Amino acid sequence: MEMPHNRVFSGVQPTGNLHLGNYLGAIKRFVELQQTHECIYCVVDLHAITVWQDPRELLHNTREVAAAYISCGIDPVEHIIFNQSQVAEHAELAWLFNCVARIGWLNRMTQFKEKAGKHRENASVGLFAYPALMAADILIYRATHVPVGDDQKQHLELCRDIAQKFNVDFAEAIAVRGHKDGFFPLTEPLIAGPATRVMSLRDGARKMSKSEASDMSRINLTDDADTIARKVRKAKTDPEALPSEKEGLEGRPEAENLVGIFAALDDLSVEDVLQKYGGSQFQVFKSDLSDLAVSKLGPIGEEMQRLLADPQGIDDILRNGAERARAIAAPIYDEIRKIVGFAH
Ligand code: AQP
């Protein structure tokens, strides 16, 4: 069994309100990586239920993420799109990783602290164990690279810790079975570009997020042109003109966020954007940003609606993707059983 060299895995939760941050921080990068890597993109429904989901909405949201993947340019024939719960090996390996990961490691996860908030005792066990499932999602394919937004960096570090501990804990059995450099790769996070952390349009100190109560805080992939324009126009800014140099964005989180969004949408660097707009008032910049966002996101939203009109068609794509994902995961999990000493 060969260790893959360029296998990408990543996922998005079907929790509704897919937004510009999910697009620029994750899905747009997923699309680019198809040129150079073997890509497996998952709709992570097992992660979604770490917080209660209405079953009808979960099903719709799962199809919506799949539709977004395809509308943004992911090819479900050349690569793989599927939903996590259809490949049982994710959950099986997650259990094993629950026994490899240490409580102390999970206690340090800032996302759990933020999501559980003051009601920690009331949070689901799944929400706490989330990063072990995420490690299983990646390592059940022995994926080498994972494109994610900046908020997932800590979970990726934990994934590497779990892989390393497994490789050490079972070193002898791994070597006996002929794996020379450990069984799991130390997966590399791919976090790069001008929009790894897109911030709320209402507050430059908060991440743009699906669960934020105010819809004005984010641009949804399904927003129409008027809504996008209104949200950009109303985005919080400061009274100064835009600077010509990157350093001039320091201490101006809202300006920095909008410039980063512009750069990422137009495949430019922040420097390029500032060269063009340095000295301009926000009114001018926002008008161009709004046109740019509408021209990039409008066709995606329209294509999503078209695909969602045929839910059966999306389910077929997910089922086919799941079969192909399982064909990769099953032999890897068989090998893991042998390494660990499960009778088989
Ligand atoms: N604001 C963001 N900027 C850049 N990347 C982002 N991502 C999420 N928000 C931003 C990236 O999108 C991918 C999928 O995210 P997810 O669905 O797994 O969940 P999340 O990170 O919890 O997304 P939200 O929108 O922030 O949801 P809530 O409100 O539930 O917390 C990931 O690669 C993520 O980094």
Side-chain angles (χ1 to χ4, degrees):
M1 179 175 281
E2 294 255 319
M3 185 83 102
H5 294 298
N6 69 340
R7 183 174 288 160
V8 160
F9 176 92
S10 198
V12 173
Q13 295 188 70
T15 39
N17 298 333
L18 271 182
H19 54 72
L20 185 64
N22 299 131
Y23 175 63
L24 295 178
I27 305 175
K28 186 168 185 287
R29 316 265 342 272
F30 297 1
V31 175
E32 292 156 5
L33 286 161
Q34 294 180 108
Q35 305 304 323
T36 46
H37 291 69
E38 171 197 0
C39 300
I40 304 172
Y41 294 128
C42 190
V43 186
V44 286
D45 47 9
L46 298 178
H47 284 285
I49 62 160
T50 54
V51 174
W52 188 81
Q53 303 294 319
D54 179 300
R56 268 167 314 197
E57 281 178 26
L58 180 64
L59 185 56
H60 170 78
N61 291 336
T62 299
R63 290 171 177 151
E64 190 174 82
V65 175
Y69 281 169
I70 298 165
S71 306
C72 291
I74 296 170
D75 180 344
V77 177
E78 281 292 312
H79 299 274
I80 294 179
I81 294 178
F82 74 108
N83 61 307
Q84 190 184 20
S85 59
Q86 291 205 63
V87 180
E89 284 81 358
H90 287 245
E92 293 192 57
L93 184 57
W95 175 255
L96 215 154
F97 284 172
N98 281 341
C99 303
V100 173
R102 306 290 91 185
I103 289 178
W105 299 358
L106 290 167
N107 272 337
R108 286 198 289 275
M109 296 296 111
T110 53
Q111 182 172 296
F112 175 73
K113 289 181 196 156
E114 280 161 18
K115 291 204 170 177
K118 293 197 189 84
H119 310 288
R120 208 180 152 128
E121 295 293 311
N122 227 356
S124 73
V125 175
L127 190 67
F128 184 70
Y130 184 116
L133 175 59
M134 181 164 156
D137 299 335
I138 297 162
L139 295 174
I140 194 64
Y141 303 101
R142 299 167 102 197
T144 53
H145 296 88
V146 179
V148 278
D150 177 70
D151 58 330
Q152 293 299 326
K153 194 171 171 189
Q154 197 184 31
H155 289 166
L156 259 300
E157 280 160 15
L158 190 98
C159 174
R160 291 164 67 96
D161 289 344
I162 290 176
Q164 191 153 29
K165 182 159 165 35
F166 181 95
N167 287 345
V168 170
D169 285 354
F170 298 98
E172 199 185 320
I174 290 169
V176 165
R177 297 203 53 78
H179 304 287
K180 291 199 187 67
D181 302 312
F183 185 70
F184 289 123
L186 299 186
T187 307
E188 296 283 342
L190 299 175
I191 306 173
T196 55
R197 193 175 184 83
V198 177
M199 307 310 278
S200 158
L201 298 181
R202 309 301 285 170
D203 179 354
R206 291 167 69 90
K207 193 178 79 121
M208 185 177 285
S209 137
K210 299 184 190 123
S211 55
E212 174 66 47
S214 166
D215 195 56
M216 293 300 285
S217 69
R218 65 181 160 260
I219 295 177
N220 301 304
L221 292 190
T222 48
D223 281 344
D224 61 25
D226 287 349
T227 310
I228 294 174
R230 184 160 39 88
K231 287 178 175 176
V232 173
R233 199 168 53 244
K234 297 213 170 219
K236 187 175 169 200
T237 46
D238 55 47
E240 308 289 315
L242 281 158
S244 312
E245 307 289 332
K246 208 172 170 181
E247 293 69 41
L249 290 171
E250 273 166 30
R252 299 177 66 186
E254 284 84 13
E256 188 177 12
N257 189 38
L258 294 184
V259 171
I261 291 173
F262 195 114
L265 277 173
D266 214 14
D267 293 313
L268 298 170
S269 67
V270 164
E271 288 82 357
D272 292 336
V273 178
L274 293 179
Q275 207 167 18
K276 184 164 175 206
Y277 290 99
S280 297
Q281 295 302 321
F282 273 104
Q283 205 184 358
V284 178
F285 175 72
K286 277 180 164 182
S287 164
D288 286 3
L289 175 59
S290 157
D291 290 348
L292 175 65
V294 168
S295 77
K296 299 283 180 182
L297 302 182
I300 293 174
E302 281 165 26
E303 181 62 6
M304 281 174 69
Q305 300 304 348
R306 196 186 67 76
L307 291 168
L308 284 166
D310 176 19
Q312 193 57 52
I314 297 180
D315 291 354
D316 290 345
I317 290 171
L318 290 173
R319 201 172 316 105
N320 172 276
E323 272 167 29
R324 289 159 52 221
R326 207 177 304 122
I328 302 172
I332 293 177
Y333 193 65
D334 267 355
E335 189 66 6
I336 295 168
R337 283 165 175 281
K338 290 172 189 159
I339 290 168
V340 172
F342 291 154
H344 50 278

